[in-house]
């Protein structure tokens, strides 16, 4: 534990700390461009120069390890002069185009030049000009502005795991490029936009849309996958202009996936903004009263009513729907499963991602069973990669999920391997014996009625044997799945689709035969199931309501209203509450606070907001199953088109096309 | 009527003040009335020219012809000067800044809520 003195204050820092981190701990702000906490140290911008005793020259604090007895000064004349010199060199080739630059207002160079910039440039020659590069449909380049901090290169290599970005030439002629003018082949690519300290890499869909100071910022939760990344939604008026990551060390650190970031333009297209009612085979716009009266007429005819919730539905809505349908028909046939899906809700650990996401970093062995974390839960994949890079952890897989940005050791694609591991006839059994914290990740592809039970029970048996049951993880794809499971929104005895009346809330994946059925569709975006509906009710999207979502760990997170629903659309639970009045079976809550306290009262499994559920894996019941000779069949994932918001988004369509182009070879048509 | 009388005593922004009223009574000479009902006066030797507004005291209510006269750009009153009337000339109006009629570019005025694309059942 070296002791260093920063500006006369002596502090003790941990081994391996850099001088820059020591200064931060001492409360001194050090300007920097290339240094980033989560990336390797490059030390090439020289902005973080500090004075050190017995050093003839100023030292780059980001690359200098803190050592015993160092005496550091951060505010001397020498430091100021050195930084001013660095800044002047940086500004030599930086265009003075702040007024037309999208980074203006949130630019590191702009901010630091206020402190260290000279009054005018002494440079009299022409500024360097650099050709624009193509980096795909998300990243807009203005390479004249680049100051060569290499953050983007380090991000692509270290965190995204795609060596697509690099620098060519040296010195003044250095250029950041994708070499082949191709799309960056990563689901995390747009994070380089946040990393870029200047306006060299900016957001293409957000280009010239707004200035940072005009935007209203709302800190909320993402629903594009089940991870529940923390995001900040920036709105200007009604429009959601952009989505940025919010730091949460327990979930997404400070990255988000491209889908999370750019599906937001789907929020302003394909919107259902008024109720519709089907007359003579055509959906005709109508008023809320007409729609509600029609529903109550139909509800009087039969008690055979089923509810199906989609992939983006929040806790409040599922709870309200469940209560409404049980008060009307007496049965609780609300389900969240839009496809063949094996669930064992007898214990929460059977469907939760039991390892907290942050503890993936401590794991020393991974087994993916029919899981493709890169496409199913990108943020979890970046955690696995982080572990793989820092500890060289081995990742094994049953079934080939394709490139995961790290090396995968394929055990085969037959699920009977699991039984071999249990019987210790497979060499993987030795690995798991030696491992202290093994992690099994079971994907939705194998959680079907045929394979699900075998995979789940055998995995439990293996993990139980090595006393590692907390490493049992189910990788859900949809933001609503775990919440629905915890609320008991499933009916394992009966198929909901057999009911005469179907109440769909954003359920747009399932294929429905609408013969002799009355279908109510409530949702924010139009889809194939909206067209076959008899009554359409306009709902709110995830940025337009205060709501709770449960991520795959079982963590309850609150999303906040950043914008409001368009036209006549209303928040989903309010629609159900109003409908319950028309049906003369009023639900027993009037405000969101009452509704939430009802949920927490009725279901003790829900933890406090932002906390993990207190679920113990010890008393998990395990059944023994016969061996199953069956191959892993990955269900196809169209990464950029997984939900209705993404499908409505123009940017996501562009991404999809760009990635398809990338996969083509020269001889393809 | 009575309230207008009190207003003219205690405020300056409702037509003339008492001082102007008395000054106009004793040394003012009415030279003309514009289309808005503002009355223009001068004193005997034409060293002073002034206007008594019909309504709010706001100098931008003076139409351009009378603007010339009151600022002594022209010696004679507008009715003695021949002005050309072009079809592109607009009716004079006071400066609307700060009022509800103030101009704002259509872009910022437009309600952003309309900027979404509707789902069409037929599509």
């Amino acid at each position: 534990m070296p002791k260093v003195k920063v500006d006369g204050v002596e502090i003790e820092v941990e081994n391996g700390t850099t001088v820059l981190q020591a200064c931060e701990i001492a409360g001194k702000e050090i300007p920097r461009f290339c240094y980033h906490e989560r990336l390797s140290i490059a030390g090439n911008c020289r902005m973080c120069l500090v004075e050190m005793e017995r050093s003839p020259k100023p030292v780059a604090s980001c690359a200098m390890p803190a050592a015993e007895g160092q005496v550091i000064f951060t505010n001397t004349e020498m430091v100021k002069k050195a930084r001013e010199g660095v800044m002047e060199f940086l500004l030599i080739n930086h265009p003075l185009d702040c007024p037309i630059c999208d980074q203006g207002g949130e630019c590191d160079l702009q901010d630091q030049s206020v402190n260290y910039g000279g009054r005018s440039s002494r440079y009299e020659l022409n500024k360097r000009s650099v050709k624009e590069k193509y980096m795909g449909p998300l990243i807009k380049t203005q390479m004249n502005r680049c100051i060569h901090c290499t953050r983007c290169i380090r991000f692509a290599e270290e965190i995204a795991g795609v060596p697509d970005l690099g620098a060519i030439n040296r010195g003044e002629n250095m250029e950041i490029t994708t070499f082949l003018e191709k799309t960056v082949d990563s689901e995390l690519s747009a994070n380089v936009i946040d990393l870029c300290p200047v306006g060299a890499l900016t957001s293409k869909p957000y280009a010239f849309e707004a200035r940072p100071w005009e935007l209203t910022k709302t800190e909320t939760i993402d629903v594009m996958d089940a991870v529940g990344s923390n995001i900040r939604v920036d709105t200007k008026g009604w429009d959601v202009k952009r989505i940025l990551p919010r730091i949460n060390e327990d979930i997404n650190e400070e990255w988000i996936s491209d889908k999370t970031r750019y599906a937001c333009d789907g929020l302003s297209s394909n919107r259902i903004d008024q109720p519709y009612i089907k007359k003579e085979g055509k959906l005709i716009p109508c008023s809320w009263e007409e729609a509600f009266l029609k529903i109550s007429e139909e509800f009087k005819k039969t008690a055979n009513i089923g509810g199906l919730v989609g992939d983006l539905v929040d806790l409040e809505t599922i709870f309200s729907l469940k209560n409404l349908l049980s008060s009307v028909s007496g049965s609780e046939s609300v389900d969240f499963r839009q496809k063949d899906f094996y669930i064992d809700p007898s214990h929460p650990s059977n469907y939760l991602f039991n390892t907290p996401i942050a503890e993936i970093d401590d794991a020393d062995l991974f087994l993916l069973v029919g899981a493709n974390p890169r496409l199913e839960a990108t943020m979890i994949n970046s955690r696995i990669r982080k572990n793989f890079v820092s500890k060289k952890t081995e990742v094994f897989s049953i079934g080939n999920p394709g490139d995961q940005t790290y090396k995968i050791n394929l055990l085969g694609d037959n699920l009977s391997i699991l039984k071999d591991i249990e019987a210790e006839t497979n060499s993987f059994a030795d690995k798991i014996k030696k491992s202290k914290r093994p992690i099994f990740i079971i994907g939705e592809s194998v959680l079907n009625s045929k394979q699900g039970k075998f995979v789940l029970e055998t995995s439990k048996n293996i993990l139980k044997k090595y006393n590692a049951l907390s490493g049992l993880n189910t990788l859900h794809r949809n933001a609503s799945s775990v919440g629905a499971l915890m609320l008991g929104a499933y009916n394992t005895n009966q198929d909901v689709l057999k009911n005469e009346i179907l109440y769909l809330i954003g359920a747009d994946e399932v294929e429905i035969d609408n013969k002799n059925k009355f279908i109510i569709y409530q949702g924010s975006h139009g889809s194939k199931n909206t067209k076959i509906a008899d009554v359409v009710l306009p709902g709110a999207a995830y940025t337009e309501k205060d709501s709770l979502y449960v991520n795959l760990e079982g963590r309850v997170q609150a999303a906040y209203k950043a914008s409001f629903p368009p036209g006549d659309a209303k928040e989903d639970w309010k629609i159900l509450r109003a409908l319950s009045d028309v049906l003369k079976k009023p639900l027993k809550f009037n405000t969101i606070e009452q509704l939430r306290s009802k949920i927490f009262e009725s279901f003790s499994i829900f933890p406090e907001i932002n906390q993990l559920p207190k679920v113990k894996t010890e008393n998990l019941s395990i059944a023994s199953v016969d061996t199953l000779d069956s191959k892993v069949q990955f269900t196809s994932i169209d990464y950029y088109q997984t939900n209705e918001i993404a499908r409505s988004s123009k940017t996501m369509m562009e991404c999809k096309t760009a990635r398809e182009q990338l996969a083509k070879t020269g001889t393809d048509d | 009527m009575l309230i207008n009388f009190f207003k003219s005593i205690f405020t300056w922004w409702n037509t003339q003040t008492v001082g102007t009223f008395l000054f106009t009574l004793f040394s003012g000479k009415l030279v003309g009335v514009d289309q808005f009902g503002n009355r223009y006066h001068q004193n005997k030797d034409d060293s002073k020219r002034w206007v008594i507004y019909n309504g709010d005291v706001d100098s931008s209510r003076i139409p351009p012809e009378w603007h010339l006269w009151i600022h002594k750009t022209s010696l004679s009153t507008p009715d003695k000067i021949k002005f050309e009337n072009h079809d592109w000339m607009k009716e004079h109006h006071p400066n609307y800044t700060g009022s509800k009629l103030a101009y704002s570019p259509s872009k910022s005025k437009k309600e952003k809520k309309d900027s979404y694309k509707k789902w069409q059942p037929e599509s």
Side-chain angles (χ1 to χ4, degrees):
Chain A
M1 299 279 272
K3 278 191 184 124
V4 292
K5 215 171 182 180
V6 180
D7 290 345
V9 183
E10 196 172 62
I11 52 161
E12 200 174 327
V13 292
E14 279 183 35
N15 284 325
T17 318
T18 62
V19 172
L20 189 143
Q21 284 165 328
C23 294
E24 297 268 280
I25 293 165
K28 301 287 168 192
E29 203 178 332
I30 308 289
R32 85 285 301 263
F33 294 113
C34 70
Y35 175 79
H36 194 275
E37 294 85 357
R38 290 174 219 274
L39 301 175
S40 64
I41 291 162
N44 50 8
C45 75
R46 318 307 287 182
M47 197 60 202
C48 59
L49 294 174
V50 293
E51 191 179 341
M52 191 182 283
E53 211 173 64
R54 296 195 304 279
S55 165
K57 295 188 288 182
V59 294
S61 61
C62 70
M64 172 68 90
E68 185 63 41
Q70 278 173 343
V71 181
I72 297 150
F73 302 99
T74 65
N75 50 8
T76 59
E77 198 51 37
M78 181 208 203
V79 170
K80 191 165 191 297
K81 235 177 145 194
R83 288 177 188 168
E84 277 171 1
V86 170
M87 179 61 80
E88 194 172 358
F89 274 121
L90 285 177
L91 289 177
I92 275 180
N93 276 323
H94 192 83
L96 297 174
D97 59 355
C98 301
I100 56 149
C101 175
D102 258 331
Q103 192 84 353
E106 47 186 8
C107 174
D108 288 0
L109 188 64
Q110 215 176 23
D111 294 348
Q112 291 175 32
S113 68
V114 173
N115 275 329
Y116 300 104
R119 244 186 329 171
S120 59
S121 175
R122 290 183 281 172
Y123 188 69
E124 286 177 356
L125 304 175
N126 289 332
K127 287 189 185 234
R128 175 190 63 130
S129 91
V130 186
K131 204 173 153 252
E132 305 315 358
K133 306 289 187 296
Y134 176 76
M135 292 192 187
L138 300 178
I139 307 165
K140 187 186 171 207
T141 60
Q142 262 289 348
M143 298 319 276
N144 282 344
R145 297 176 188 147
C146 180
I147 58 166
H148 306 138
C149 67
T150 69
R151 272 188 191 180
C152 49
I153 300 176
R154 282 175 283 147
F155 175 84
E157 249 173 45
E158 291 159 17
I159 288 160
V162 286
D164 280 1
L165 289 174
I168 51 171
N169 302 333
R170 6 183 317 187
E172 197 197 24
N173 298 320
M174 181 168 154
E175 289 181 22
I176 308 287
T177 173
T178 45
F179 304 118
L180 298 172
E181 296 281 300
K182 61 166 195 155
T183 311
V184 181
D185 190 12
S186 168
E187 286 76 30
L188 292 167
S189 65
N191 286 303
V192 297
I193 296 164
D194 291 342
L195 282 174
C196 186
V198 293
L201 307 180
T202 50
S203 169
K204 224 175 223 175
Y206 172 70
F208 311 126
E209 286 282 331
R211 284 295 191 187
W213 56 83
E214 303 175 311
L215 299 167
T216 316
K217 289 122 185 142
T218 315
E219 301 200 327
T220 178
I221 300 302
D222 169 54
V223 296
M224 291 295 136
D225 53 29
V227 183
S229 303
N230 287 211
I231 53 169
R232 193 186 92 191
V233 174
D234 285 6
T235 47
K236 188 180 172 193
W238 182 82
D239 273 349
V240 174
K241 285 287 177 196
R242 63 173 177 179
I243 288 175
L244 295 177
R246 188 152 60 89
I247 295 178
N248 187 336
E249 296 294 341
D250 292 334
I251 299 171
N252 57 324
E253 297 180 279
E254 64 173 274
W255 321 116
I256 51 173
S257 66
D258 290 354
K259 186 161 63 179
T260 305
R261 194 184 292 257
Y262 286 118
C264 63
D265 69 337
L267 292 170
S268 56
S269 71
N270 198 18
R271 293 306 301 265
I272 306 174
D273 65 344
Q274 67 195 99
Y276 292 88
I277 202 161
K278 195 166 253 174
K279 279 177 189 160
E280 290 153 10
K282 271 188 173 173
L283 282 169
I284 311 285
C286 69
S287 67
W288 279 104
E289 289 77 24
E290 278 178 70
F292 280 172
L293 283 174
K294 176 83 182 158
I295 295 171
S296 76
E297 270 172 37
E298 291 292 328
F299 273 24
K300 270 172 207 154
K301 288 183 196 161
T302 175
N304 208 343
I305 308 167
L308 192 61
V309 294
D311 46 357
L312 306 175
V313 182
D314 53 295
L315 274 190
E316 286 92 338
T317 312
I318 303 172
F319 183 79
S320 311
L321 180 69
K322 215 176 144 226
N323 278 15
L324 177 75
L325 294 192
S326 68
S327 70
V328 172
S329 72
S331 75
E332 287 209 358
S333 56
V334 175
D335 215 319
F336 73 98
R337 292 167 296 171
Q338 297 192 54
K339 56 176 185 196
D340 181 19
F341 196 161
Y342 172 78
I343 51 167
D344 179 6
S346 59
H347 190 284
S349 289
N350 284 332
Y351 56 79
L352 287 180
F353 199 89
N354 291 305
T355 315
I357 294 175
E359 285 176 24
I360 293 178
D361 296 351
D362 307 330
D364 54 3
L365 186 68
F366 290 97
L367 177 67
L368 311 178
V369 187
N372 184 352
R374 181 172 180 183
L375 301 187
E376 290 174 47
T378 313
M379 297 328 301
I380 287 188
N381 200 48
S382 84
R383 287 275 186 173
I384 300 174
R385 187 182 150 78
K386 188 179 164 194
N387 186 323
F388 171 81
V389 169
S390 62
K391 291 191 189 164
K392 303 269 177 294
T393 312
E394 284 182 296
V395 184
F396 291 85
S397 174
I398 297 177
N400 186 3
D403 183 14
Q404 297 292 312
T405 71
Y406 43 80
K407 189 174 171 256
I408 287 209
N409 304 306
L410 220 55
L411 291 175
D413 61 355
N414 200 318
L415 289 171
S416 60
I417 296 169
L418 278 173
K419 208 73 188 172
D420 296 345
I421 297 168
E422 196 189 349
E424 297 190 22
T425 52
N426 191 304
S427 59
F428 182 75
D430 302 333
K431 303 250 182 206
I432 193 169
K433 206 179 275 174
K434 280 179 210 147
S435 150
K436 285 195 188 76
R437 308 193 76 160
I439 284 187
F440 277 31
I441 297 176
I442 302 167
E444 278 187 18
S445 296
V446 289
L447 284 174
N448 49 38
S449 52
K450 196 176 146 218
Q451 301 166 322
K453 186 164 184 175
F454 170 77
V455 172
L456 193 67
E457 299 301 335
T458 323
S459 303
K460 281 197 279 188
N461 268 319
I462 298 170
L463 288 165
K464 175 88 178 171
K465 207 164 168 185
Y466 302 106
N467 208 7
L469 259 180
S470 63
L472 177 77
N473 299 305
T474 311
L475 194 67
H476 286 273
R477 286 182 194 167
N478 297 338
S480 66
S481 301
V482 178
L485 274 160
M486 284 166 121
L487 280 174
Y490 48 80
N491 190 336
T492 39
N493 306 321
Q494 195 204 342
D495 187 4
V496 273
L497 295 178
K498 285 187 180 135
N499 286 303
E500 283 169 48
I501 299 179
L502 276 181
Y503 201 119
L504 310 179
I505 299 191
D508 36 37
E509 238 113 284
V510 66
E511 296 285 342
I512 296 170
D513 175 24
N514 59 337
K515 255 182 216 161
N516 305 324
K517 273 200 177 82
F518 184 77
I519 296 169
I520 304 154
Y521 186 92
Q522 178 181 330
S524 57
H525 287 68
S527 68
K528 64 174 196 281
N529 285 347
T530 326
K531 282 182 195 160
I532 61 163
D534 295 288
V535 174
V536 176
L537 303 174
Y542 70 109
T543 54
E544 291 153 7
K545 55 188 172 188
D546 288 330
S547 49
L548 297 175
Y549 285 97
V550 187
N551 82 344
L552 41 71
E553 304 164 281
R555 191 191 296 270
V556 180
Q557 296 190 103
Y560 294 96
K561 190 173 181 163
S563 159
F564 48 91
D568 285 343
K570 297 275 181 301
E571 291 174 35
D572 294 284
W573 73 267
K574 285 184 183 164
I575 297 173
L576 293 163
R577 176 69 185 81
L579 178 61
S580 73
D581 273 343
V582 177
L583 297 172
K584 309 242 164 50
K585 299 253 169 71
L587 294 170
K588 291 182 186 67
F589 45 80
N590 292 317
T591 62
I592 187 112
E593 288 78 21
Q594 289 173 0
L595 171 54
R596 282 187 185 170
S597 61
K598 269 235 148 38
I599 294 175
F600 285 107
E601 271 168 34
S602 328
F603 295 89
S604 58
I605 176 170
F606 286 113
E608 297 267 294
I609 286 174
N610 289 336
Q611 299 297 314
L612 285 174
K614 290 185 188 71
V615 175
K616 287 203 174 76
T617 43
E618 280 88 61
N619 45 12
L620 194 56
S621 66
I622 301 169
S624 63
V625 279
D626 292 337
T627 183
L628 182 78
D629 185 38
S630 171
K631 281 188 175 164
V632 177
Q633 291 282 342
F634 280 95
T635 46
S636 68
I637 307 167
D638 196 350
Y639 177 72
Y640 292 108
Q641 310 270 293
T642 48
N643 58 51
E644 209 47 65
I645 296 176
R647 278 192 284 271
S648 308
S649 156
K650 203 174 134 233
T651 317
M652 287 294 102
M653 199 61 221
E654 281 169 14
C655 287
K656 191 188 164 193
T657 333
R659 291 291 282 279
E660 278 167 5
Q661 289 291 327
L662 198 61
K664 276 187 187 164
T665 59
T667 49
D668 286 353
D669 292 332
Chain B
M1 284 299 108
L2 197 66
I3 190 116
N4 284 347
F5 173 70
F6 280 113
K7 271 184 182 171
S8 72
I9 293 173
F10 292 109
T11 65
W12 57 262
W13 53 86
N14 289 299
T15 66
Q16 80 252 47
T17 58
V18 179
T20 313
F21 173 71
L22 292 173
F23 186 73
T24 312
L25 192 66
F26 291 114
S27 54
K29 183 187 144 200
L30 184 73
V31 291
V33 181
D34 69 18
Q35 66 265 43
F36 305 112
N38 303 325
R39 287 168 295 136
Y40 297 86
H41 300 268
Q42 66 180 52
N43 65 357
K44 272 163 198 152
D45 60 353
D46 199 14
S47 62
K48 281 184 175 160
R49 290 178 178 181
W50 68 92
V51 59
I52 294 171
Y53 295 99
N54 175 25
D56 276 358
V57 176
D58 174 3
S59 62
S60 71
R61 295 181 54 171
I62 302 173
E65 312 85 72
W66 282 100
H67 185 271
L68 288 174
W69 176 82
I70 206 162
H71 287 84
K72 295 185 181 171
T73 311
S74 73
L75 287 170
S76 49
T77 46
D79 48 320
K80 284 172 192 139
I81 307 169
K82 202 178 163 229
F83 287 101
E84 276 187 56
N85 268 317
H86 297 287
D87 53 354
W88 44 260
M89 285 165 77
K90 283 183 184 168
E91 178 82 351
H92 175 75
H93 66 75
N95 185 352
Y96 289 139
T97 303
S99 74
K100 272 183 185 166
L101 294 165
Y103 172 77
S104 66
S106 56
K107 237 183 188 173
S108 63
K109 219 174 171 181
K110 203 178 157 197
E111 185 57 60
K112 276 285 184 185
K113 214 187 147 188
D114 298 333
S115 64
Y116 63 89
K117 282 199 204 88
K118 260 176 94 124
W119 171 73
Q120 301 292 351
E122 302 308 316
S123 65

